[in-house]
Amino acid sequence: MGASLRDIARLAGVSVKTVSNVVNGYAHVSPATRAKVEHALSQLDYRPNLSARNLRRGRTGVIALALPELDAPYFAELSRFVIEAAAELRWLVVIEQTDGSLERERQILDGVRDHRVDGLILSPVAIGVDELAARTDDTALVLLGERIHDGPADHVAIDNVRAARDVTEHLIGLGRTRIAALGAQDNSASGTAPLRLAGYRQALAAHGLPETVAKVERYRRHEGAAAMAALLGHRPDAVFCFNDLLALGAMRTILSAGLRVPEDIALAGLDDIEDGRYSTPTLTTLAPDKAELARIAVDLLKRRIDGLPGHPPQETRAGYRLMARESTLGR
Amino acid sequence: MGASLRDIARLAGVSVKTVSNVVNGYAHVSPATRAKVEHALSQLDYRPNLSARNLRRGRTGVIALALPELDAPYFAELSRFVIEAAAELRWLVVIEQTDGSLERERQILDGVRDHRVDGLILSPVAIGVDELAARTDDTALVLLGERIHDGPADHVAIDNVRAARDVTEHLIGLGRTRIAALGAQDNSASGTAPLRLAGYRQALAAHGLPETVAKVERYRRHEGAAAMAALLGHRPDAVFCFNDLLALGAMRTILSAGLRVPEDIALAGLDDIEDGRYSTPTLTTLAPDKAELARIAVDLLKRRIDGLPGHPPQETRAGYRLMARESTLGR
């Protein structure tokens, strides 16, 4: 089971207390003694029991990342970056899936009181501002990727309204005039859908163009395929899908119907998942800076865990880029 | 911070020790007393400190899942199932990424001694049998998804040789005779590639057909696209790609070259990730039963954590199904 502090002390010729002071990084140890202890530590391949040490500090060294579903590529890609950013702090990341359900989001917000994690990064779908504000627990919390106006916790996201306007302006700039939106939602009060819809509408209004809006329940390929089938009757010449999965589903429907992308219908998504870079045609999309989103979320959480409970919640924006590809530009 | 045992005891009119006996599930408490305590617990919304309780048992209630990369859809889909299976045991799952590097796999195997996790499910790429067998640590370990013959730990995977043979037989059954394999690897001693290559060769040999083999370093779309470009000169009439990402990259190359799938080149992958169900054409693939893989891995780990250190390592197979779609059958 590895060397004990007693073994180290014996080898270094010092007291167990001195070894403990070195291992815990306390200052009042002379450089010579510290060197002796460190030599013994390395000779005996000593490993601190991080679990016990963290517990003494009231910490577990583990944070939770709660997101709708790991098998949606956007969240898998984002998780990759969160795990990498957390690893720099020697934090481990537990991943929890909410499936976008209010009950699961509540359970997870509640569950942080089980003390198994030091803090939570939550990508909320269903939970509202009021409920978050009424939270009595003070475990560190950062909201990631959905905008909750004047929210009760630190929050990082891209500017969804402006991003959606930029995508729509791109389609307008190509001369398209019957531009549909695919991805509005009935049940989303605080989520992304209303923000992206607002950006789409701003761009259309600026050019006096009419709107066509298709709703979905969830942002998955099969819903994009089904909603696109219904949209075909409206003969759009372009479709802005509110995420890439919806767009890839829609692309499948358009091509299966014998229509061409972009000649008959130009298509754009949002997320820049890898799939869209290899589809035929490749998918025009908007790329949120996922590495920046993840880094900011981890930094905000660290500040809260290190003890800034009194500070007002902070709103932070991450950057994005429009990636124009074959599905709007042609080959 | 929630109610303490003392608060509960006061409300229930019993001793703190009695409350503790109820909370910890000890038997020697009368039903009437238990009911009083449970009523008080629920009234005061008491939550046990799982972290402290687990620590007393020498447990953290957290396991680690180490895989090459979370942004490869196969691993994201598999992780989803592992998290779900672990949740049934109230375990949290930390995800670690190895990027397929030997050094990272060593670090993670080593890191379980930090005591922050109770056990590890590892999807190994680079590490060999000898090194695993030489491991001195006795933290619970289960290997997932790569076959390590006569390995030193419990292991679950599909039968990769038979699976690869089945895919190749499917292509042969369609009358294809110049069938290439895409996905062999130079550096993989213990991994999937040699097993899938063996299955491919068995099928060709049974029908007296010649082989063409393209190598890659990693199983990602861009490598599939590049390897397919090199293969085009060999004029294959079918390609078996060793995973779906390689196949989707290869599909992009074939279609970009103005060739048709499957009329000119039939294409099959392995993994059944969601992307291939919506590509045009849809992708023929082999679907490992990911839910079963995950469930078996978690069950094996639980048995080890609960204390079967002396038992010999167990080899378990999960099922799979061939999913024939447009990329081989046509539309």
Side-chain angles (χ1 to χ4, degrees):
Chain A
M1 289 303 301
S4 70
L5 292 191
R6 192 176 300 273
D7 300 331
I8 308 294
R10 200 174 297 131
L11 183 64
V14 301
S15 70
V16 170
K17 177 71 188 153
T18 299
V19 175
S20 164
N21 285 341
V22 171
V23 167
N24 289 298
Y26 296 136
H28 47 84
V29 181
S30 77
T33 305
R34 184 179 296 277
K36 268 198 292 189
V37 172
E38 278 172 356
H39 183 67
L41 288 170
S42 108
Q43 277 210 295
L44 294 181
D45 191 24
Y46 174 77
R47 292 157 182 287
N49 182 326
L50 280 181
S51 180
R53 183 197 287 186
N54 282 319
L55 200 82
R56 283 197 300 278
R57 294 184 189 155
R59 303 271 179 85
T60 62
V62 181
I63 64 166
L65 170 63
L67 41 79
E69 49 215 342
L70 199 46
D71 54 351
Y74 173 77
F75 289 111
E77 294 180 10
L78 190 62
S79 299
R80 174 182 190 97
F81 289 118
V82 170
I83 292 171
E84 286 174 0
E88 289 176 22
L89 303 172
R90 299 201 61 184
W91 286 352
L92 297 177
V93 181
V94 155
I95 296 188
E96 298 255 44
Q97 298 174 108
T98 64
D99 285 312
S101 106
L102 179 58
E103 195 195 354
R104 279 290 293 151
E105 291 185 352
R106 279 185 185 143
Q107 270 177 11
I108 286 165
L109 274 165
D110 229 31
V112 292
R113 285 191 278 172
D114 282 353
H115 308 280
R116 285 190 291 180
V117 299
D118 297 334
L120 171 64
I121 298 174
L122 170 66
S123 179
V125 173
I127 206 156
V129 181
D130 293 348
E131 190 161 346
L132 276 171
R135 183 170 168 259
T136 55
D137 185 31
D138 61 357
T139 308
L141 170 67
V142 169
L143 302 176
L144 171 61
E146 305 285 335
R147 182 157 182 195
I148 295 197
H149 262 296
D150 306 319
D154 292 336
H155 175 243
V156 55
I158 63 165
D159 183 336
N160 272 293
V161 176
R162 194 160 65 85
R165 203 173 59 214
D166 287 357
V167 176
T168 313
E169 286 283 357
H170 168 70
L171 297 170
I172 295 170
L174 296 170
R176 307 287 166 146
T177 54
R178 300 188 309 279
I179 303 169
L182 195 168
Q185 288 181 316
D186 269 334
N187 53 351
S188 173
S190 59
T192 306
L195 302 168
R196 295 189 182 165
L197 188 60
Y200 160 78
R201 284 179 166 154
Q202 285 180 11
L204 291 185
H207 295 266
L209 293 172
E211 72 172 51
T212 308
V213 176
K215 289 178 182 169
V216 298
E217 284 195 12
R218 304 190 57 178
Y219 282 20
R220 301 302 298 237
R221 289 181 182 87
H222 64 96
E223 296 223 17
M228 189 65 227
L231 268 183
L232 284 179
H234 293 84
R235 311 202 132 271
D237 61 9
V239 182
F240 166 34
C241 300
F242 288 0
N243 86 346
D244 283 359
L245 286 185
L246 290 173
L248 291 163
M251 185 186 289
R252 169 78 195 154
T253 296
I254 297 170
L255 298 176
S256 295
L259 297 168
R260 295 162 304 161
V261 177
E263 293 82 350
D264 298 309
I265 302 178
L267 201 57
L270 199 155
D271 278 350
D272 190 32
I273 61 175
E274 196 185 276
D275 320 35
R277 289 173 228 155
Y278 288 86
S279 57
T280 303
T282 53
L283 183 65
T284 291
T285 189
L286 186 132
D289 188 333
K290 294 171 201 128
E292 190 186 8
L293 281 166
R295 192 181 43 68
I296 292 173
V298 168
D299 285 352
L300 288 172
L301 193 65
K302 178 167 167 45
R303 288 181 39 184
R304 290 290 163 186
I305 289 174
D306 287 350
L308 290 169
H311 264 243
Q314 191 174 325
E315 280 288 330
T316 312
R317 290 271 164 274
Y320 63 78
R321 279 202 306 160
L322 184 75
M323 313 296 285
R325 301 199 186 106
E326 294 169 359
S327 70
T328 59
L329 300 180
R331 286 192 235 183
Chain B
M1 288 302 298
S4 69
L5 292 192
R6 193 177 300 274
D7 300 330
I8 309 294
R10 199 174 299 131
L11 183 63
V14 300
S15 71
V16 170
K17 176 73 187 152
T18 300
V19 175
S20 164
N21 286 340
V22 172
V23 167
N24 288 298
Y26 296 137
H28 47 84
V29 181
S30 77
T33 304
R34 185 179 297 278
K36 268 198 294 190
V37 172
E38 279 172 355
H39 182 68
L41 288 170
S42 107
Q43 277 209 296
L44 293 181
D45 192 25
Y46 174 78
R47 294 155 182 286
N49 183 327
L50 280 179
S51 179
R53 183 198 288 187
N54 282 318
L55 200 83
R56 284 195 302 277
R57 296 182 187 157
R59 303 272 179 83
T60 62
V62 181
I63 63 167
L65 170 63
L67 41 79
E69 48 215 342
L70 199 46
D71 54 350
Y74 173 76
F75 290 111
E77 294 181 10
L78 190 63
S79 300
R80 174 183 190 95
F81 289 118
V82 170
I83 292 170
E84 286 174 359
E88 288 177 22
L89 303 172
R90 299 200 63 182
W91 286 352
L92 296 177
V93 180
V94 155
I95 296 188
E96 298 254 44
Q97 299 174 110
T98 64
D99 285 312
S101 107
L102 179 58
E103 194 195 353
R104 279 289 293 152
E105 291 186 353
R106 279 184 184 143
Q107 271 177 12
I108 286 165
L109 275 166
D110 229 32
V112 292
R113 286 191 278 172
D114 282 351
H115 308 280
R116 285 190 291 181
V117 299
D118 297 332
L120 170 65
I121 298 174
L122 170 66
S123 179
V125 173
I127 207 155
V129 181
D130 294 348
E131 189 161 348
L132 276 172
R135 183 169 167 260
T136 55
D137 185 31
D138 61 358
T139 307
L141 170 67
V142 170
L143 301 176
L144 172 61
E146 305 287 334
R147 183 158 180 191
I148 295 198
H149 262 296
D150 306 319
D154 292 335
H155 175 242
V156 56
I158 62 165
D159 182 337
N160 272 294
V161 176
R162 193 160 67 84
R165 203 171 61 214
D166 288 357
V167 176
T168 313
E169 287 284 357
H170 168 71
L171 297 170
I172 295 170
L174 296 170
R176 307 288 165 145
T177 54
R178 300 189 307 280
I179 303 170
L182 194 168
Q185 288 181 315
D186 269 335
N187 53 351
S188 172
S190 59
T192 306
L195 302 168
R196 295 189 183 166
L197 188 60
Y200 160 78
R201 284 178 167 153
Q202 286 180 10
L204 292 184
H207 296 266
L209 293 173
E211 71 172 53
T212 309
V213 176
K215 289 179 182 170
V216 298
E217 285 197 11
R218 304 193 54 179
Y219 281 20
R220 300 302 299 238
R221 288 182 183 86
H222 64 99
E223 296 224 17
M228 189 66 227
L231 268 183
L232 284 179
H234 293 82
R235 308 201 135 271
D237 61 9
V239 181
F240 167 32
C241 301
F242 288 0
N243 86 347
D244 282 358
L245 286 186
L246 291 172
L248 290 164
M251 185 186 290
R252 170 79 196 154
T253 297
I254 298 169
L255 297 177
S256 295
L259 298 168
R260 295 161 305 162
V261 177
E263 292 82 351
D264 298 309
I265 301 178
L267 201 57
L270 199 156
D271 278 351
D272 190 32
I273 60 175
E274 195 185 278
D275 319 35
R277 290 173 227 155
Y278 288 86
S279 57
T280 302
T282 52
L283 183 65
T284 290
T285 188
L286 187 132
D289 188 334
K290 293 170 203 133
E292 190 186 9
L293 281 165
R295 192 181 43 69
I296 293 172
V298 168
D299 285 352
L300 289 171
L301 193 65
K302 178 168 167 44
R303 288 180 40 181
R304 290 291 162 186
I305 290 174
D306 287 348
L308 289 169
H311 265 241
Q314 191 174 325
E315 280 287 331
T316 312
R317 289 272 164 274
Y320 64 77
R321 279 202 307 158
L322 184 75
M323 313 296 286
R325 300 200 187 105
E326 294 169 0
S327 70
T328 58
L329 300 180
R331 285 192 237 182

